[in-house]
Amino acid sequence: FGKTHRFHSTARVIEEMRNVPFGSVSTTDWATWARNNGANSLNSEAITTVYQGSDPLTVTVTVSWADKNRPRSTSLVTVITQR
């Protein structure tokens, strides 16, 4: 459940990025969006986003958490372009 949930959390954020105007992708607070939409519902889970470039925009979404007091993380990288 844990690893699958975290992968799903990162995928949900990336999918939502496709639903906002291109100019809003890098200005949206995705950590807050995730928290408000159940994408980071497990204890000590945090979502961060990193952007590179402009158009295309390379986006890395990382989910971090603690598992038995050990830091863990998983990331997904995608490229988004203006339509």
Side-chain angles (χ1 to χ4, degrees), residues 12-13 16 27-40 45-49:
R12 283 186 64 195
V13 171
E16 186 59 26
T27 60
T28 298
D29 182 346
W30 294 107
T32 299
W33 181 90
R35 191 171 36 259
N36 291 341
N37 291 278
N40 65 340
E45 186 172 278
I47 292 180
T48 57
T49 52

Side-chain angles (χ1 to χ4, degrees), residues 11 13 22 24 28 31 34-35 46 55 60 70 75 77 80 82:
V13 171
F22 180 75
S24 298
T28 298
R35 191 171 36 259
D55 189 5
T60 304
R70 298 172 85 180
S75 300
V77 179
I80 299 174
Q82 188 165 357

Side-chain angles (χ1 to χ4, degrees), residues 1-11 42 45 65 74:
F1 171 75
K3 290 179 185 177
T4 300
H5 173 80
R6 273 118 185 154
F7 179 83
H8 182 69
S9 295
T10 57
L42 300 179
E45 186 172 278
W65 70 97
T74 189

Side-chain angles (χ1 to χ4, degrees), residues 16-80:
E16 186 59 26
M17 287 178 176
R18 295 179 179 164
N19 293 326
V20 300
F22 180 75
S24 298
V25 171
S26 62
T27 60
T28 298
D29 182 346
W30 294 107
T32 299
W33 181 90
R35 191 171 36 259
N36 291 341
N37 291 278
N40 65 340
S41 58
L42 300 179
N43 290 338
S44 67
E45 186 172 278
I47 292 180
T48 57
T49 52
V50 176
Y51 311 98
Q52 294 178 313
S54 57
D55 189 5
L57 179 66
T58 301
V59 181
T60 304
V61 178
T62 302
V63 177
S64 305
W65 70 97
D67 182 23
K68 299 179 184 175
N69 294 322
R70 298 172 85 180
R72 304 280 188 217
S73 67
T74 189
S75 300
L76 288 178
V77 179
T78 192
V79 177
I80 299 174

